[in-house]
């Protein structure tokens, strides 16, 4: 594994772990800061990928591809290459997170705010963004399945278990599974576009 991948993995794993600890210990901090935390994480991750793309450009420009990168076709190829290898994972999950924000806010407002706490919408969006694409395709069903299983085991009939404490632990599990298992599987690569 390349060093930048280790740093990125640790960074993305630390965020949901820290947020979950705050959820348990200082819920009022989460209420006040989760929206800002979401946008800070988005800026940091896109900034990180921008730096990696810059380094990749420098590496290609100093090698045999240097003359090709000076052309329009070469730059188009480079942007396609970096989109496929670096950007798509979080560009797609960012769009999905924004879609989840919109849908969750609409449904929550329509039903009188009974589905989610206001900060929970950002917790879910942050989880979607951090696990990336295609991880969020597995993340969302796992959040629901985990809550159903826990509800069946511990919640009395007629009561409802909120998803509030499921978003970040499930993100941690999905990130670990991707890092240590799914990323090495051939079928995982079929999600790339």
């Amino acid at each position: 594994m390349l060093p930048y991948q280790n740093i990125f993995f640790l960074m993305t794993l630390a965020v949901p772990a820290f947020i979950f600890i705050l959820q348990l210990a200082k819920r009022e901090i989460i209420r006040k800061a989760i929206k800002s935390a979401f946008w800070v994480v988005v800026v940091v991750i896109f900034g990180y990928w921008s730096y990696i793309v810059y380094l990749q450009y420098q590496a290609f420009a100093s090698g045999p591809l240097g003359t090709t990168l000076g052309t329009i076709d070469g730059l188009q190829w480079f942007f396609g290459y970096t989109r496929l290898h670096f950007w798509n994972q979080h560009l797609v999950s960012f769009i999905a997170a924004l879609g989840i924000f919109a849908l969750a806010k609409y449904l929550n407002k329509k039903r009188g705010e009974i589905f989610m706490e206001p900060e929970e919408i950002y917790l879910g969006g942050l989880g979607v963004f951090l696990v990336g694409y295609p991880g969020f395709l597995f993340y969302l069903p796992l959040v629901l399945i985990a809550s159903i299983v826990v509800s069946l085991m511990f919640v009395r009939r007629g009561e409802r278990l909120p998803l509030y404490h499921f978003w970040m632990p499930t993100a941690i599990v999905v990130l670990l599974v991707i890092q240590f298992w799914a990323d090495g599987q051939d079928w995982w690569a079929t999600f790339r576009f």
Side-chain angles (χ1 to χ4, degrees):
M1 183 178 308
L2 298 171
Y4 78 87
Q5 291 171 321
N6 285 330
I7 294 167
F8 185 76
F9 170 69
L10 293 174
M11 183 174 67
T12 55
L13 194 60
V15 171
F18 180 71
I19 297 287
F20 185 61
I21 290 168
L22 281 178
Q23 278 182 275
L24 297 175
K26 302 279 186 185
R27 188 169 178 176
E28 63 277 358
I29 292 174
I30 293 296
R31 283 190 182 130
K32 293 176 184 174
I34 191 62
K35 184 177 181 179
S36 298
F38 172 81
W39 291 108
V40 166
V41 168
V42 167
V43 168
V44 167
I45 286 179
F46 283 143
Y48 177 79
W49 285 126
S50 296
Y51 179 67
I52 295 299
V53 167
Y54 169 75
L55 293 177
Q56 187 69 63
Y57 182 84
Q58 294 296 321
F60 283 169
S62 65
L65 293 175
T67 56
T68 305
L69 289 179
T71 66
I72 297 292
D73 288 339
L75 284 175
Q76 286 177 335
W77 171 85
F78 178 75
F79 288 126
Y81 173 86
T82 57
R83 185 182 51 82
L84 175 67
H85 290 280
F86 304 115
W87 289 105
N88 273 0
Q89 176 183 358
H90 286 97
L91 281 175
V92 173
S93 68
F94 179 67
I95 292 166
L98 294 179
I100 286 171
F101 286 162
L103 181 64
K105 282 184 179 185
Y106 171 76
L107 292 175
N108 211 28
K109 187 174 182 179
K110 186 173 182 172
R111 299 291 295 191
E113 310 264 334
I114 63 168
F115 290 129
M116 297 180 159
E117 302 281 333
E119 70 271 17
E120 196 174 342
I121 293 169
Y122 287 95
L123 291 170
L126 182 61
V128 166
F129 180 68
L130 286 172
V131 299
Y133 172 81
F136 76 83
L137 298 174
F138 302 95
Y139 170 71
L140 292 172
L142 282 174
V143 168
L144 298 175
I145 290 168
S147 70
I148 289 169
V149 169
V150 171
S151 290
L152 291 173
M153 292 173 29
F154 299 109
V155 177
R156 289 184 287 198
R157 189 177 195 108
E159 292 183 9
R160 185 178 73 86
L161 180 69
L163 297 175
Y164 189 84
H165 292 292
F166 288 93
W167 295 110
M168 293 299 103
T170 306
I172 293 167
V173 169
V174 170
L175 285 167
L176 289 169
V177 168
I178 291 169
Q179 179 72 15
F180 295 111
W181 180 71
D183 220 15
Q185 304 298 314
D186 291 336
W187 60 269
W188 192 256
T190 61
F191 286 101
R192 293 173 96 183
F193 64 93

